Every structure is written in C-alpha cells, then in structure tokens.
Amino acid sequence: MAITITDGISPTFSSASTRASNLHCCFWNSTQRLTSRKFGIDVKLKATVNPYSYTDEVRPEERKSLTDFLVEAGDFVRSDGGDSGPPRWFSPLECGARAPGSPLLLYLPGIDGTGLGLIRQHKRLGEIFDIWCLHFPVKDRTPARDLVKLIEKTVRSEHYHFPNRPIYIVGESIGASLALDVAASNPDIDLVLILANPVTRFNNFMLQPLLGLLEILPDEVPSLITENFVFNQEMFETMLNETDAVKMGRGLLGDFFATSSNLPTLIRIFPKDTLLWKLQLLKSASASVNSQMDTVNAQTLILLSGRDQWLMNKEDIERLRGALPRCEVRELENNGQFLFLEDGVDLVTIIKRAYYYRRGKSLDYISDYILPTPFEFKEYEESQRLLTAVTSPVFLSTLNNGAVVRSLAGIPSEGPVLYVGNHMLLGMELHAIALHFLKERNILLRGLAHPLMFTKKFGSKLPDMQLYDLFRIIGAVPVSGMNFYKLLRSKAHVALYPGGVREALHRKGEEYKLFWPEHSEFVRIASKFGAKIIPYGAVGEDDLCEMVLDYNDQMKIPLLKNLIEEITQDSVNLRNDEEGELGKQDLHVPGIVPKIPGRFYVYFGKPIETEGREKELNNKEKAHEVYLEVKSEVERCMTYLKMKRETDPYRNILPRSLYYLSHGFSSQIPTFDLRNH
C-alpha cells in the first residue's frame, strides 16, 4: 500500500496528488466533436453528453474490498514485530484528488486500530475532503487521555490555519468516544462529528465477561490456533449456524473469519494483550465522555447499524441524542457492526443526503451542494420507478414561436430561470419534474422547500429526516428570501410554489385551486438578475387518489387534532403575516384512498422575460401586474391540461399497459393531439 506515515501533527502527502478544479466538473465534461452539414461544411459542434440520460448500465464506482483491507492491514501489522512506536497520522494516496477549499477529515479507528476502516470510502471521500487517518500500532499502549491530546493538537493546528473552515471527525466505537471527548474539550472549534455505532457506555453484560476471559486466557492460544487448526468456509458456517454467534455479529464479521488465510492477519491485529488493552481503552474513553457530555457543541451525525449490535444498545443512542444539542441519528437497517466496510454503504452519499457537507462556518445550500453522481441519480430514479410507471407523466413545453411540444425543448438551457407553478396534493408532482429535467435536459432544478425537510428538534413528532433524503440529494433548498436571491444570482433553475403548505395540503374539492398570497416579491427579485419566469401547471392527482379525510375532518377528532397542533407548533410557519385561508399552515397527512391510476400532465408555458426590465419592475404596481400574469398563466395551463386529457386515449392505466406489452416497456406512450393547440 502506497502510504507515507509520519509522527508529526500532519501526514506526508504524495507529490503525485492532483486536485479537482471544480466539484461539479466530474459529470459535465463528457463532450464529443460532431460534424454537421446543416450549419455549413466542416463546421464542428461541441455536444455535451448527458450523464443522466441512460442509467440502466450505470454501476457504483469500483471500490476496494474486504480482502484489500486485510492485505493492507497485514502490511501494517508485520509478523516480525515491526508495528511499534506511537500513534501516528497517515493520508492514503488515493485520497489526493480533492477540490480546493476541502475541509479536513480526521478518521479515528475502531477496535482494530489500523486506521484503514475507511478503505472502501477513500476514493470518493478524497474528492471532497483532506483525509488523515490515525493508526494505533499493535504494541502501543497510549492512554485515552493522551490520545485525546494528540488529536486535539492536530485539531487546534488546523483551526489556527483555517479558522473559518469546519473540521470533520469520523469515529467508530473507540474512535467515536475519542471524537466526543475532543469535542467536549473544544466547544469553541467548529467540529462536525460522524460517529458510526458509538460506544459511550461500557456494556457490562457483553464486555465484562469477555474481559475476564481474556485475562485468564494463555498468551500462546492464538498462535496455537493458527498453527494447528485450519478453518474453511463450510466449517465456519456450521459454527455460526450451531451457535448463538449471530448476536456477536454475523454478516461481515463472518467474512473476517471465514477463510483460514485471514486468520493469521486477524491474530496479529488482535493478540490477546492488545485486545485486552483495546477493551480497557474503550472503557476509559467512554467513561471520560460521559463525565463531560454536556459540553459537546459539535454538529453530530450518528450512524447506527440495524443488526449485529453487541457493543451498544438503542437506549444508549437515545440518551446520546438527547444530550447533544445538534444531533441527527440515521439507522442503516440492513448493515452490521463494521459499517464502512460493507457493500452498499457510501459515506459520501450519506453526508450529501443529510446535508452535512459544508466548507464554511455555516452550510451554504447553493455553493456547498454537490451534484448527484450518475449512480446516485439511478438510485433516485429507481425509487420513483413505480410512481412513474403508474402515472406515465406527460411533459409539455412552449417554444419561442408559441408552439407546444411534448418535450422540454422549450426550457432555456441557461439560467437564471424561475419556474412558478401549482402544488398537487402532497407535492406529488415534485419528483417527476426534477427527475425529468435531469434525464432529458441535464438541468438541475433547485426546488424551494419547506424548512421541515431540513431540521427537526429532538423529541418532535415531525417525520424523520431520512424521509426527505431524496429531496435533498436532488437539490432541494429551504425556502427563504436569502436562498432565493443566492440561487438566482448563481444562474440556477429554481422552482417556486407560492401556494406552499396550504396548497399541497388542500381540502376536499380544492384540487387545482391556487392559494397564492395577495402580493409577492419574486417578480422584483427575478428582474434584478434578468431571470426568465416560466409559469406551469400540473394535473393528475384526482386520477390517482381520492381524499376521504381532510384537515377539517381530522380537526373534529380529538386525538388527531392534538397531534396536528403539536407538529405544527414544532415547525416553521412561513405565513405568519397572512390572514384567512392563506395563514392556515397546519401540518397533517390527508387520508386518501387510491383509484385506478390515471396520468400526470405538466405543461410549461411561454417564458416571461424580465431582462432589461429591472427599473420597470422595481415599481410595485408593475411587478404586481406581472405577478397576476404569472398566476393567470398557471391557471390557464391547468385548465388546458384538464380539458385536453379528456381526449387522451391512454389516460387510463389499462390501455397504457396494453401499449407497453405490444411496444415494449421503454417506449413512450402517446397522448392527446397537440396540433390543435
């Protein structure tokens, strides 16, 4: 393994390290040269390949395997006893190609101590972080307090050189306890903790008997095992099946021991005296954390395995969640104790979904956002595949000459562009639109969303943050005047819904009714940047479901009424200044029953130009005229779609299913005739 180790504060880096010039360049630079006679002889056009158009063959990036971990761990822990000396930092060479301004990420290992626990994550993490990993030599016996001082020294040095940049600390088991200890001692330093299965209370039920057993176990036992016994896959599986080993971690733990070739490496990593010391270290580190937990001020993301938990329990996590003021807990139900070494766990994707990546003192939803990779987009697309298949959305747009086409050809390529439309029930149109923009036009649509998708207080009955992961990975932004301004300034494509919560959670009989405020500032702000405003309408919810229990019905039921009032109080009311229906922002889940599915239709009208009109539209009356024009156009788009869908022979799912069977599931299903628009 090509790693340079140093005993100093920081690691030594390879001169071959390269730096990415822009976080977004990875997926946008696929270009090819085309020759077109249409534009004259020998004229060459530069065409950008859309990485999101064809994702069927996209696979996750190839990463190192568990075997690589064991091989490289073996290089660290040499059989000749060479793995000695104090703890030290190293930086894996595959982490070299990072973007400018990337924050520092310190990795504190778990009970193995090798520092290689992120080996499957190095490549992707190295694109957005400056990574240093801490290595504990097998023979090292540095006390927990001295380890904390070593980490603090590095943290304070980095903070001194880059005071406005956060420092990330990723820790597993022992490393998580050390990370919390460092955070408790340095509440004034901007730290972001990512803790995988943290152990903050010594689990006496499991670990105390193990300590007692290790203390009486002869030192020669490990070597006798490797010399006199050969373990094979079948034998180990039999052992697992015939014992209660599942409680001690099947899955990946089984992979560790499943071949005799791995056993010598594991014995060298965990000789009896070292394992005994690590458990004592875990005990002292967790005790230290518990004594000063109330001083931790770091932003914290806890990753909790859904199975194979034998070092901790969920009660400990709930206690930890309540003690930390800025903490989010995410459970990975299908993964075991060694999270970062398992298939399907991508730490970068987790960080992006949680909106935990930032390069400054506070999160900038615009500049800190990282585009989804083609594989992340594929996962997003697959999560919407059923809804897409059931509703077969039809997208219409308007060309400059007024012609309506069935595509997004009428959507401008360059921003800033502001899309203003209506909300269907529960905002069910959002995913379909965002997905289609990327897939057809390679345009990221930044939707302004309710703040409840981004923050949640401890103990609140609001939905879990993971419910909104798909909105965040695709670029949703908390609605605010500042975010709106910064998006347009960055020439983004922005989706705005003036009807907000009241429109998305409408009552019975209010389908396609707009609940817009009397006045709005979005026209004046758009004119400052010369943004095009594109009104659009979406219909189809009434063909998918029927509302049977709306807000008015639920408020008559005491239990539901109390729940609605509680979760509404926990959220942000964006319309405190509005009276009447517009001010009713109560959060609830409408009771609906499904129908035989119809079809979704989305129609983008002709763009309204604001470029060169800043002075004109700075006048409130003139801006209000454009606002009313936008509202009228949205209503016209909805009326047009409701009328034209009556002539769509494939509005119902049954004829669409027959069309799929006869033409293939990848074919585009026809819709109503556009010639008489």
Side-chain angles (χ1 to χ4, degrees):
M1 179 180 181
I3 300 177
T4 304
I5 300 180
T6 176
D7 293 332
I9 295 176
S10 61
T12 301
F13 298 94
S14 165
S15 60
S17 297
T18 58
R19 295 174 180 265
S21 60
N22 191 294
L23 284 174
H24 293 178
C25 70
C26 301
F27 313 114
W28 302 85
N29 287 342
S30 298
T31 59
Q32 57 185 351
R33 304 294 292 181
L34 304 176
T35 302
S36 174
R37 296 186 181 276
K38 180 178 178 180
F39 297 95
I41 299 174
D42 295 331
V43 174
K44 291 187 177 180
L45 304 176
K46 188 174 183 180
T48 302
V49 176
N50 183 357
Y52 305 114
S53 290
Y54 305 100
T55 58
D56 290 343
E57 302 302 321
V58 172
R59 297 288 181 271
E61 292 185 11
E62 187 174 341
R63 300 190 292 174
K64 289 189 175 181
S65 65
L66 177 60
T67 300
D68 294 317
F69 169 82
L70 292 167
V71 169
E72 296 184 14
D75 292 340
F76 266 156
V77 190
R78 292 184 295 275
S79 58
D80 61 0
D83 190 32
S84 58
R88 66 206 77 169
W89 298 104
F90 70 89
S91 183
L93 295 185
E94 60 263 38
C95 298
R98 61 183 178 273
S102 298
L104 176 67
L105 184 149
L106 302 177
Y107 172 65
L108 310 183
I111 200 165
D112 66 286
T114 62
L116 295 171
L118 292 179
I119 191 170
R120 304 196 70 186
Q121 316 288 334
H122 284 164
K123 185 177 179 182
R124 289 207 65 201
L125 284 172
E127 296 172 355
I128 59 175
F129 289 108
D130 180 8
I131 302 178
W132 302 357
C133 304
L134 189 59
H135 171 65
F136 301 146
V138 171
K139 297 180 180 180
D140 177 66
R141 299 295 180 265
T142 303
R145 186 64 250 171
D146 290 343
L147 289 174
V148 170
K149 289 179 180 179
L150 170 67
I151 301 164
E152 280 184 335
K153 186 177 181 181
T154 303
V155 166
R156 290 171 180 170
S157 174
E158 178 73 5
H159 179 67
Y160 175 80
H161 289 97
F162 303 102
N164 296 321
R165 194 180 295 176
I167 300 170
Y168 284 71
I169 304 180
V170 177
E172 295 185 85
S173 60
I174 295 175
S177 295
L178 295 174
L180 285 167
D181 210 340
V182 171
S185 303
N186 298 272
D188 297 330
I189 295 180
D190 185 10
L191 297 176
V192 180
L193 308 183
I194 300 175
L195 311 178
N197 298 318
V199 181
T200 57
R201 186 170 60 179
F202 201 67
N203 192 336
N204 289 322
F205 177 75
M206 293 297 295
L207 296 181
Q208 200 62 49
L210 182 58
L211 273 174
L213 176 63
L214 286 172
E215 287 173 352
I216 64 174
L217 190 70
D219 293 338
E220 294 80 9
V221 167
S223 59
L224 289 173
I225 291 175
T226 58
E227 292 172 5
N228 297 289
F229 293 91
V230 177
F231 284 80
N232 56 45
Q233 182 76 28
E234 183 178 354
M235 178 179 178
F236 188 78
E237 287 296 325
T238 302
M239 291 170 57
L240 283 178
N241 292 330
E242 293 180 353
T243 65
D244 201 21
V246 68
K247 293 182 180 179
M248 295 293 289
R250 248 197 98 122
L252 187 65
L253 191 59
D255 294 339
F256 271 119
F257 295 97
T259 62
S260 58
S261 61
N262 294 338
L263 197 57
T265 298
L266 292 166
I267 293 296
R268 292 199 298 271
I269 294 175
F270 297 116
K272 193 203 86 168
D273 58 334
T274 297
L275 185 55
L276 186 62
W277 168 254
K278 293 288 177 64
L279 293 175
Q280 294 288 1
L281 182 63
L282 177 61
K283 186 175 183 179
S284 60
S286 59
S288 177
V289 169
N290 283 310
S291 67
Q292 50 183 341
M293 187 74 73
D294 57 339
T295 64
V296 176
N297 189 42
Q299 184 183 6
T300 306
L301 178 64
I302 295 177
L303 305 179
L304 183 63
S305 296
R307 57 177 176 80
D308 297 354
Q309 281 300 345
W310 50 281
L311 286 176
M312 51 172 288
N313 54 56
K314 291 189 177 181
E315 289 75 18
D316 294 339
I317 292 299
E318 288 304 312
R319 182 179 58 86
L320 188 58
R321 190 208 301 253
L324 300 177
R326 297 189 294 158
C327 178
E328 179 179 338
V329 176
R330 291 178 163 251
E331 184 168 347
L332 285 74
E333 296 182 355
N334 298 319
N335 297 100
Q337 185 70 36
F338 302 95
L339 274 178
F340 300 135
L341 290 174
E342 297 199 15
D343 290 332
V345 177
D346 190 322
L347 184 54
V348 170
T349 298
I350 292 172
I351 292 171
K352 288 166 66 174
R353 286 179 172 177
Y355 265 1
Y356 261 62
Y357 184 74
R358 56 186 172 91
R359 286 168 284 185
K361 287 187 174 181
S362 60
L363 173 63
D364 188 319
Y365 289 96
I366 290 78
S367 63
D368 286 331
Y369 175 74
I370 304 173
L371 286 167
T373 64
F375 183 73
E376 288 171 340
F377 178 75
K378 179 182 181 179
E379 291 182 314
Y380 173 69
E381 186 178 14
E382 288 178 346
S383 72
Q384 303 301 308
R385 195 174 297 279
L386 178 60
L387 183 62
T388 302
V390 167
T391 59
S392 301
V394 175
F395 290 91
L396 310 177
S397 64
T398 308
L399 303 179
N400 290 332
N401 62 6
V404 177
V405 294
R406 187 185 176 181
S407 71
L408 298 181
I411 300 299
S413 299
E414 301 296 328
V417 182
L418 176 62
Y419 304 86
V420 185
N422 68 297
H423 260 320
M424 291 199 289
L425 184 65
L426 298 173
M428 60 178 65
E429 77 286 344
L430 296 172
H431 287 304
I433 294 174
L435 191 152
H436 206 68
F437 264 63
L438 270 174
K439 196 168 184 67
E440 182 180 333
R441 292 295 310 277
N442 200 1
I443 292 175
L444 180 71
L445 188 61
R446 305 298 302 271
L448 290 164
H450 195 283
L452 70 86
M453 296 184 181
F454 305 90
T455 56
K456 177 185 176 182
K457 294 187 295 184
F458 175 69
S460 171
K461 292 184 179 179
L462 285 170
D464 191 271
M465 287 293 97
Q466 286 181 254
L467 181 66
Y468 305 111
D469 279 0
L470 295 177
F471 290 98
R472 292 193 289 263
I473 198 75
I474 211 68
V477 177
V479 61
S480 72
M482 179 57 71
N483 284 337
F484 182 48
Y485 184 93
K486 290 164 71 174
L487 283 168
L488 293 180
R489 185 178 61 186
S490 67
K491 300 186 182 301
H493 290 249
V494 186
L496 175 66
Y497 297 91
V501 169
R502 179 61 182 85
E503 202 166 277
L505 302 178
H506 59 70
R507 322 308 186 220
K508 294 176 183 176
E510 293 179 347
E511 299 89 351
Y512 314 125
K513 181 178 179 180
L514 299 183
F515 290 90
W516 290 20
E518 187 66 27
H519 300 280
S520 179
E521 289 295 308
F522 73 76
V523 173
R524 296 173 67 188
I525 297 175
S527 69
K528 292 182 182 295
F529 301 98
K532 294 179 175 67
I533 301 176
I534 299 183
Y536 73 92
V539 304
E541 66 165 89
D542 53 340
D543 273 352
L544 188 65
C545 59
E546 180 177 356
M547 189 181 301
V548 295
L549 195 68
D550 68 3
Y551 170 79
N552 296 326
D553 297 325
Q554 295 183 35
M555 291 299 285
K556 297 175 184 177
I557 304 173
L559 182 64
L560 294 180
K561 179 183 178 181
N562 293 337
L563 178 61
I564 290 172
E565 290 175 347
E566 184 177 347
I567 63 175
T568 300
Q569 188 175 8
D570 287 342
S571 67
V572 178
N573 190 336
L574 300 174
R575 295 283 171 81
N576 282 326
D577 56 339
E578 298 287 348
E579 298 180 354
E581 286 299 316
L582 293 180
K584 295 180 179 179
Q585 300 286 303
D586 291 6
L587 301 176
H588 65 286
V589 180
I592 58 176
V593 293
K595 292 181 176 180
I596 296 177
R599 201 170 191 182
F600 282 175
Y601 303 85
V602 184
Y603 172 25
F604 294 91
K606 190 173 181 178
I608 298 173
E609 297 285 351
T610 67
E611 189 171 7
R613 302 175 64 188
E614 180 180 356
K615 187 175 181 181
E616 173 195 353
L617 296 178
N618 195 43
N619 180 285
K620 287 190 176 181
E621 293 183 0
K622 293 290 185 182
H624 188 61
E625 290 177 6
V626 175
Y627 174 70
L628 294 178
E629 179 187 354
V630 173
K631 184 178 180 181
S632 175
E633 183 67 8
V634 171
E635 292 174 327
R636 185 192 70 80
C637 289
M638 289 191 294
T639 301
Y640 171 80
L641 291 174
K642 287 189 289 182
M643 178 187 66
K644 293 294 288 184
R645 70 177 176 174
E646 298 293 337
T647 65
D648 185 357
Y650 297 98
R651 178 180 175 183
N652 190 278
I653 194 173
L654 297 179
R656 293 203 305 271
S657 300
L658 293 174
Y659 190 92
Y660 275 138
L661 290 173
S662 60
H663 293 80
F665 288 97
S666 61
S667 58
Q668 185 184 64
I669 298 178
T671 186
F672 50 76
D673 192 353
L674 296 175
R675 289 176 296 181
N676 297 324
H677 174 70

